[in-house]
Amino acid sequence: QVQLVESGGGLVQAGGSLRLSCAASGRTFSNYVMGWFRRAPGKEREFVAAINWSGADTYYQDSVKGRFTISRDNAKNTVYLQMNSLKPEDTAVYYCAAGRVPLRLSTYDYWGQGTQVTVSS
């Protein structure tokens, strides 16, 4: 089992920045691919970003490329999502997840409870 706890969400104006953190406990954190997903009101959950076990490979949804950066610190069992130039359409509940294949949703076995990000225009 892996327990995941997100933090860092909040209310920010368009153009602002937020940094989300996801602290993991339980099984060896470095064994897992880590991903960030989000769900906006009335929409399906969607992939945002992922990072492989070493941090050498990262993956992003097209709409966040150049604005969001995913990183991890295996010594601290934490994954981060730095979000810059935020837009109102980034408003959603953001979830971190631990899995095995970066772009394959079905392989993410563990999920956090989510943190709300609201971007005002």
Side-chain angles (χ1 to χ4, degrees), residues 4 22-30 73-80:
L4 302 171
C22 174
S25 61
R27 289 190 170 182
T28 306
F29 175 73
S30 59
D73 185 337
N74 287 341
K76 295 182 178 180
N77 288 356
T78 302
V79 62
Y80 305 97

Side-chain angles (χ1 to χ4, degrees), residues 15-88:
S17 298
L18 283 174
R19 188 194 197 201
L20 305 184
S21 299
C22 174
S25 61
R27 289 190 170 182
T28 306
F29 175 73
S30 59
N31 287 349
Y32 292 92
V33 163
M34 297 300 297
W36 285 97
F37 298 79
R38 66 187 181 187
R39 177 176 284 160
K43 294 188 177 181
E44 297 291 318
R45 179 175 53 191
E46 65 176 1
F47 167 80
V48 175
I51 188 166
N52 76 332
W53 69 274
S54 69
D57 298 319
T58 57
Y59 311 82
Y60 296 95
Q61 182 199 108
D62 285 346
S63 70
V64 307
K65 284 181 181 177
R67 300 189 298 122
F68 290 11
T69 303
I70 188 171
S71 61
R72 67 190 296 164
D73 185 337
N74 287 341
K76 295 182 178 180
N77 288 356
T78 302
V79 62
Y80 305 97
L81 186 68
Q82 178 67 44
M83 305 186 295
N84 299 328
S85 302
L86 282 161
K87 305 175 181 180

